[in-house]
Amino acid sequence: MSDIRIVVAGASGRMGRALVRAIAETPGCVLCGALEAKGHPQLGEDAGRLAGLGPVSVALSDDPLPLIAAAEAIVDFTLPAVSVELAALAAQARIVHVIGTTGFSAGDEKKIHAAARHAVIVKSGNMSLGVALLASLVKQAARALLDFDVEVLEMHHRHKIDAPSGTALLLGEAAAEGRGVTLDERAVRARDGQTGARGDGQIGFASLRGGTVVGEHQVILAGLHERLVLSHVAEDRIIFARGAVAAALWGQGRKPGLYAIADVLGLVG
């Protein structure tokens, strides 16, 4: 069986370079394309060299069409507008699209759902095994501790552009699902000034930004005279890259649809 050919979008960024390294270390897959934005100063450079590997004879390109046409999967930690465009192209080519991008609008989500009618799309706010397990635990805890207040605290590096993080929202969704409610109706994303007492059933979010923090998340369930704290600390982006590459391999031969990393790991249910 031949190796699965994978394109990395945003290949010169921190996550893109980690993805190139993860592909190089994973049996059964090979980097066949590296995408960057038009006008990017590193277009034409070797993706392997940028990732700290030796040259891999894959140069950064700003044209997705020929790369996607020659691939079985594209892995994408970029920007919402880019991911939506790539999802449409993946649907046309009938390849697997792994999306680790966060910060989508409701309109973006609808377009991705539409693309998933023709492509296998694996989309998650966090691609790590640890976070997938944490979300499962949060769902169970929220269901069991119905009278406990739920707060989600997250911290990321100073360059992150969206808040709350995709992982925080994923964990909030898990808590809401455990309670049998929707996150939209219970989420409180900011508190400032005279906010009044905390409302029953709210799911609160707090976002911290600074330094080079890869990602830290806590879900706090606070009851009368006791607290349960479930947490995850990401120490290196390679954990997300490895999960994304595993998702690209898992998606081969699957029925078109929108999946999550929990599906890849068999944690759904």
Side-chain angles (χ1 to χ4, degrees):
M1 181 177 177
S2 60
D3 290 341
I4 302 302
R5 299 185 298 271
I6 302 176
V7 174
V8 171
S12 74
R14 289 184 295 267
M15 268 307 306
R17 297 182 193 204
L19 286 163
V20 171
R21 294 193 296 272
I23 291 169
E25 72 178 25
T26 304
C29 62
V30 64
L31 181 72
C32 74
L35 277 171
E36 262 305 345
K38 292 186 182 299
H40 194 282
Q42 291 173 311
L43 287 174
E45 294 191 31
D46 188 279
R49 195 184 301 279
L50 287 174
L53 307 172
V56 294
S57 300
V58 176
L60 267 64
S61 169
D62 61 4
D63 187 358
L65 290 177
L67 300 186
I68 288 175
E72 278 93 35
I74 181 166
V75 183
D76 162 26
F77 288 69
T78 56
L79 297 169
V82 176
S83 294
V84 168
E85 179 183 353
L86 292 176
L89 294 177
Q92 292 174 22
R94 304 295 199 270
I95 68 170
V96 177
H97 185 192
V98 179
I99 303 176
T101 306
T102 59
F104 291 102
S105 68
D108 294 333
E109 296 284 3
K110 288 181 180 179
K111 291 176 182 177
I112 290 171
H113 274 80
R117 292 199 292 265
H118 305 289
V120 174
I121 297 180
V122 182
K123 177 177 174 292
S124 182
N126 192 294
M127 292 285 172
S128 83
L129 170 61
V131 166
L133 289 169
L134 175 60
S136 180
L137 294 172
V138 168
K139 179 179 176 181
Q140 294 178 53
R143 180 188 296 126
L145 304 173
L146 289 174
D147 58 341
F148 279 49
D149 298 325
V150 180
E151 294 286 320
V152 183
L153 172 66
E154 54 101 349
M155 183 169 185
H156 284 82
H157 53 88
R158 67 194 312 272
H159 299 292
K160 187 168 180 60
I161 61 175
D162 60 311
S165 69
T167 303
L169 294 173
L170 181 154
L171 296 171
E173 291 279 6
E177 188 175 350
R179 295 275 170 90
V181 298
T182 66
L183 184 59
D184 285 345
E185 65 180 303
R186 299 301 175 93
V188 176
R189 298 196 179 193
R191 297 187 179 100
D192 183 47
Q194 298 295 321
T195 62
R198 188 187 199 281
D200 291 340
Q202 292 180 346
I203 299 173
F205 293 87
S207 298
L208 309 179
R209 296 290 179 268
T212 57
V213 177
V214 174
E216 298 184 10
H217 294 83
Q218 290 187 354
V219 180
I220 302 165
L221 294 100
L224 294 177
H225 314 300
E226 62 178 329
R227 279 177 294 156
L228 175 65
V229 180
L230 302 171
S231 65
H232 178 270
V233 176
E235 298 178 347
D236 194 303
R237 289 178 180 82
I238 196 66
I239 65 172
F240 312 128
R242 287 170 179 157
V245 172
L249 295 173
W250 175 87
Q252 301 304 312
R254 299 278 172 181
K255 180 181 178 181
L258 185 59
Y259 300 92
I261 193 67
D263 295 292
V264 177
L265 298 170
L267 294 173
V268 174

